């Protein structure tokens, strides 16, 4: 029954294995290569391309594009179609210490990721002959210091009907309202169907072994609160879902997301498709009839920005679930909330992680005490178990019966040292996911050389300290292992974990290091108490 350490070894290996599991579980008309599906969905690309992204970065906007500037967003909109072809996030750098802003949407030669919207249908302004050509009064729009809201209109007059596409942006918000105001002053009714979609080059999911992340499609529709639909899925099968009450279509990556949230009355259609090496996910609205002498407004919202849970919750139902904590979200969500509350007080995410670790390990102290008490009692019984084996021999049934009698007499649970560890594992894994998915930790400094908690420690100090602390814990813990091979495996565990953690984000390694330090403190207190009772023996 030297199974205590074996189960502990398996549990530790299981934790390590779970850390690396990647929980991964549209198109308007153009002037070339146009086709229409049976559902009326257009395939192809849109005209007009940027003549180099550097021109945009220098705010040299051609007459084909307008720029929209708020305190958090800089958008470039193509006036042919009114698509958002570039989105810079003002509060997020492209890289640590970079002066360039992070670009979520772009139309570069090597990577295209844009947000499209338009009007198709019998009288749509986006037709087989091309996209709508809007007019605007100026090429640059700014949210002034005394403004809370910025409205940017694009206007097209055709056949007695005025189409106004309006972008509405608010201070501090990554939610962009997009409206089509259709004023029918003609003598005939007009029939249109609004669509919104995201278009991006087909790419792999991204991420790495130590930082598994997801890049691809994701959606919510009626009873399906949140579901990923990768580029591989899109190539295998086109989605064609009915959206009755609420939902959204999005493409996301680590920390950031672009999503269309429709405001449709009636049944809408959520779809995906691929075309010429690009993937599309979007929503088609029900057909709208605008009778002569009336005005109708069609509304949608584009979220383009970081995965900020509070703001996303206010923007769309279940959009916050794109901060994907996997199957332990019920634990990870309150842990992230607690971490955020601590950060509001201390102002440093590294310090917040340390305090959170003390809180979590403090709450688990009764389990930790039960674990080490049981392990100590099991070690105290080893001489009796050895004598029992020598006396009984190979009679396994009798051996099992007498062992259970001994455990009952001594009030020892043979699994008591392992069960608390198993109960703690979900918390460890949930914390891992909560820290890894937190955009707040991106480029967040801690102290001295740790200038980005979302990146590995550049000098490997934290992983080495973590390995050392794990080695000390192992030496302090009572052991029943006598087999030389098992002892070598256990001695190798700190080295193996150190190698793993060399490439983990510093915030995660910091959590594990502090957790080990707390464990050492708790072990000291527990063993001191056990020694008074005559139970503890480390060797």
């Amino acid at each position: 029954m030297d199974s205590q350490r074996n189960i502990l070894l398996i549990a530790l290996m299981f934790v390590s294995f779970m850390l690396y599991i990647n929980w991964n579980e549209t198109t308007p008309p153009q002037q070339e290569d146009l086709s229409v599906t049976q559902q009326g969905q257009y395939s192809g690309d849109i005209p007009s391309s940027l003549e180099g992204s550097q021109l945009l970065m220098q705010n040299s906007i051609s007459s084909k594009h307008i720029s929209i500037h708020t305190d958090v967003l800089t958008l470039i909109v193509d006036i042919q179609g009114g698509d958002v072809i570039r989105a810079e996030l003002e509060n997020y750098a492209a890289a640590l210490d970079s002066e360039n802003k992070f670009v979520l949407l772009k139309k570069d030669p090597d990577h295209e990721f844009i947000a499209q919207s338009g009007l198709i249908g019998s009288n749509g302004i986006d037709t087989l002959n091309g996209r709508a050509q809007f007019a605007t009064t100026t090429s640059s729009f700014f949210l002034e210091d005394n403004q809370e809201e910025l409205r940017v209109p694009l206007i097209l007059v055709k056949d007695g009907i005025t189409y106004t596409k309006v972008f509405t942006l608010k201070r501090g918000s990554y939610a962009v309202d997009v409206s089509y105001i259709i004023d029918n002053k003609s003598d005939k009714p007009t029939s249109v169907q609004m669509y919104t979609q995201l278009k991006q080059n087909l790419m792999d999911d991204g991420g790495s072994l130590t930082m598994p992340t997801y890049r691809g499609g994701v959606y919510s529709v009626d009873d399906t609160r949140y579901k990923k639909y990768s580029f591989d899925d899109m190539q295998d099968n086109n989605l064609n879902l009915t959206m009755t009450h609420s939902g959204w279509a999005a493409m996301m990556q680590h920390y950031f997301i672009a999503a269309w949230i429709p405001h449709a009355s009636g049944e809408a259609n959520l779809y995906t498709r691929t075309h010429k090496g690009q993937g599309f996910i979007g929503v088609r609205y029900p057909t709208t009839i605008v009778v002569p002498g009336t005005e109708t407004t069609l509304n949608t919202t584009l979220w383009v920005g970081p995965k900020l849970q509070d703001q996303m919750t206010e923007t769309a139902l279940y959009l916050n679930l794109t901060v994907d904590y996997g199957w332990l979200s019920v634990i990870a969500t309150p842990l992230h909330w607690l971490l955020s509350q601590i950060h509001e007080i201390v102002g440093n995410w590294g310090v917040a992680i340390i305090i959170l670790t003390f809180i979590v390990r403090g709450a688990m102290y009764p389990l930790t005490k039960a674990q080490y008490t049981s392990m100590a009692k099991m070690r105290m019984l080893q001489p009796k178990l050895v004598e029992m084996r020598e006396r009984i021999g190979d009679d396994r049934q009798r051996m099992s019966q007498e062992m259970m009698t001994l455990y009952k007499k001594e009030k020892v649970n043979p699994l008591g040292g392992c069960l608390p560890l198993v109960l703690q594992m979900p918390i460890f894994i949930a914390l891992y996911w909560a820290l890894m998915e937190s955009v707040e930790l991106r480029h967040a400094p801690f102290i001295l050389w740790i200038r980005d908690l979302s990146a590995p420690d550049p000098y490997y100090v934290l992983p080495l300290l973590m390995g050392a602390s794990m080695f000390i814990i192992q030496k302090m813990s009572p052991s029943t292992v006598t087999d030389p091979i098992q002892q070598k495996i256990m001695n190798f565990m700190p080295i193996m974990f150190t190698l793993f953690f060399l490439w983990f984000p510093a915030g995660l390694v910091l959590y594990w290091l502090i957790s080990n330090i707390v464990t050492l403190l708790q072990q000291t207190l527990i063993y001191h108490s056990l020694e008074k009772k005559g139970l503890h023996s480390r060797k």
Side-chain angles (χ1 to χ4, degrees):
M1 289 295 294
D2 287 338
S3 61
Q4 287 268 46
R5 280 293 182 178
N6 291 336
I7 298 178
L8 177 61
L9 172 61
I10 294 172
L12 287 172
M13 293 297 293
F14 176 74
V15 172
S16 176
F17 172 73
M18 289 298 295
L19 293 181
Y20 302 121
I21 290 182
N22 189 344
W23 55 92
N24 295 325
E25 279 220 349
T26 172
T27 101
Q30 65 162 3
Q31 295 175 339
E32 299 177 359
D33 190 23
L34 298 174
S35 63
V36 185
T37 67
Q38 292 180 352
Q39 291 78 22
Q41 177 181 337
Y42 294 93
S43 68
D45 201 348
I46 64 172
S48 299
S49 61
L50 298 180
E51 298 179 7
S53 60
Q54 293 300 320
L55 293 177
L56 291 176
M57 295 182 66
Q58 297 168 7
N59 292 326
S60 176
I61 311 301
S62 73
S63 60
K64 295 181 180 180
H65 312 113
I66 64 170
S67 63
I68 306 173
H69 306 264
T70 72
D71 56 327
V72 297
L73 284 173
T74 294
L75 304 182
I76 304 300
V77 176
D78 190 338
I79 62 173
Q80 186 171 22
D83 299 332
V84 181
I85 59 175
R86 190 174 181 89
E88 296 183 3
L89 311 186
E90 295 296 325
N91 294 335
Y92 295 85
L96 185 64
D97 297 330
S98 173
E99 295 182 359
N100 296 326
K101 304 303 181 182
F102 180 82
V103 178
L104 180 55
L105 300 182
K106 63 184 72 174
K107 194 171 184 182
D108 294 341
D110 60 337
H111 183 198
E112 184 175 31
F113 181 17
I114 62 177
Q116 301 177 298
S117 57
L119 296 177
I120 54 176
S122 299
N123 305 114
I125 54 177
D126 296 298
T127 69
L128 292 173
N129 296 321
R131 303 295 305 284
Q133 184 70 43
F134 290 99
T136 183
T137 57
T138 182
S139 61
S140 299
F141 296 82
F142 295 89
L143 180 69
E144 303 296 342
D145 292 340
N146 60 347
Q147 289 182 291
E148 292 298 319
E149 181 178 286
L150 175 64
R151 288 173 59 85
V152 178
L154 305 178
I155 301 174
L156 169 64
V157 180
K158 180 181 179 181
D159 300 330
I161 305 173
T162 301
Y163 302 88
T164 306
K165 187 172 187 176
V166 182
F167 293 86
T168 303
L169 300 88
K170 297 180 180 179
R171 183 174 298 279
S173 177
Y174 295 94
V176 180
D177 292 328
V178 181
S179 303
Y180 275 93
I181 304 172
I182 306 168
D183 186 6
N184 188 358
K185 290 184 171 64
S186 72
D187 58 357
K188 297 179 180 180
T190 185
S191 173
V192 297
Q193 185 180 23
M194 184 177 177
Y195 74 89
T196 59
Q197 69 180 14
L198 296 160
K199 167 186 174 182
Q200 186 172 190
N201 295 90
L202 298 174
M203 308 176 71
D204 59 30
D205 285 349
S208 62
L209 188 64
T210 56
M211 180 66 80
T213 59
Y214 173 80
R215 178 192 290 270
V218 60
Y219 67 90
S220 176
V221 54
D222 291 349
D223 295 334
T224 303
R225 302 198 309 168
Y226 163 77
K227 187 173 181 62
K228 293 175 180 175
Y229 205 74
S230 69
F231 291 128
D232 288 340
D233 293 330
M234 294 180 192
Q235 294 181 86
D236 293 338
N237 186 41
N238 291 332
L239 279 179
N240 184 15
L241 304 175
T242 299
M243 182 185 296
T244 305
H245 304 294
S246 62
W248 40 263
M251 286 186 178
M252 71 176 186
Q253 60 199 63
H254 196 202
Y255 299 137
F256 303 100
I257 183 173
W260 280 112
I261 304 105
H263 304 280
S265 57
E267 290 188 352
N269 171 243
L270 189 147
Y271 63 90
T272 65
R273 67 167 287 123
T274 58
H275 181 70
K276 291 185 175 180
Q278 294 174 318
F280 300 79
I281 185 169
V283 178
R284 279 189 301 272
Y285 278 47
T287 298
T288 298
I289 306 296
V290 185
V291 300
T294 65
E295 180 181 284
T296 296
T297 301
L298 303 177
N299 299 303
T300 188
T301 296
L302 172 66
W303 175 277
V304 52
K307 297 179 185 177
L308 300 176
Q309 296 185 60
D310 291 342
Q311 286 195 31
M312 289 194 297
T313 299
E314 295 175 358
T315 302
L317 186 65
Y318 305 134
L319 188 59
N320 63 303
L321 296 183
T322 57
V323 182
D324 194 345
Y325 296 138
W327 56 281
L328 285 174
S329 59
V330 67
I331 301 175
T333 299
L335 287 176
H336 178 270
W337 176 86
L338 180 57
L339 180 66
S340 299
Q341 299 303 307
I342 298 171
H343 174 261
E344 287 187 7
I345 298 174
V346 300
N348 182 295
W349 286 104
V351 176
I353 290 173
I354 293 174
I355 296 175
L356 176 67
T357 308
F358 272 92
I359 292 174
V360 172
R361 293 311 307 267
M364 293 192 299
Y365 177 75
L367 293 177
T368 303
K369 184 176 180 180
Q371 173 185 347
Y372 287 110
T373 300
S374 177
M375 292 171 66
K377 288 182 177 181
M378 284 295 297
R379 175 159 182 83
M380 296 295 292
L381 292 179
Q382 285 306 301
K384 294 182 179 180
L385 293 174
V386 171
E387 185 275 331
M388 189 180 298
R389 289 192 188 95
E390 294 176 350
R391 175 168 48 85
I392 296 176
D394 296 332
D395 191 340
R396 294 185 178 183
Q397 182 176 358
R398 182 184 173 190
M399 180 70 181
S400 177
Q401 292 175 347
E402 293 202 17
M403 285 175 62
M404 295 305 298
T405 301
L406 177 63
Y407 291 152
K408 185 176 181 179
K409 177 181 177 181
E410 299 292 339
K411 298 180 180 181
V412 173
N413 181 358
L415 297 179
C418 303
L419 181 59
L421 180 61
V422 173
L423 295 176
Q424 292 175 37
M425 282 196 299
I427 298 177
F428 294 152
I429 299 169
L431 268 173
Y432 170 85
W433 283 342
L435 295 176
M436 196 187 76
E437 279 287 290
S438 298
V439 66
E440 294 86 352
L441 267 65
R442 182 179 184 268
H443 298 168
F446 176 37
I447 56 172
L448 301 176
W449 73 97
I450 304 296
R451 302 172 58 229
D452 184 359
L453 286 167
S454 68
D457 183 338
Y459 302 112
Y460 309 118
V461 175
L462 291 180
L464 292 175
L465 291 176
M466 188 283 303
S469 64
M470 187 175 180
F471 178 79
I472 296 173
I473 290 174
Q474 186 182 88
K475 292 301 180 182
M476 287 184 61
S477 301
S479 173
T480 62
V481 175
T482 57
D483 181 70
I485 296 179
Q486 293 186 36
Q487 288 180 343
K488 289 181 179 180
I489 293 175
M490 293 304 299
N491 291 334
F492 182 72
M493 288 292 291
I495 299 175
M496 182 183 69
F497 269 71
T498 300
L499 293 176
F500 286 164
F501 276 70
L502 290 177
W503 315 113
F504 272 27
L508 300 175
V509 184
L510 177 63
Y511 159 73
W512 208 281
L513 170 61
I514 299 303
S515 180
N516 284 351
I517 292 174
V518 174
T519 297
L520 288 171
L521 295 175
Q522 291 178 341
Q523 276 187 332
T524 301
L525 293 175
I526 294 170
Y527 291 159
H528 181 69
S529 174
L530 293 177
E531 286 173 353
K532 288 184 176 181
K533 299 177 182 179
L535 293 176
H536 178 49
S537 175
R538 299 181 190 174
K539 301 296 184 181

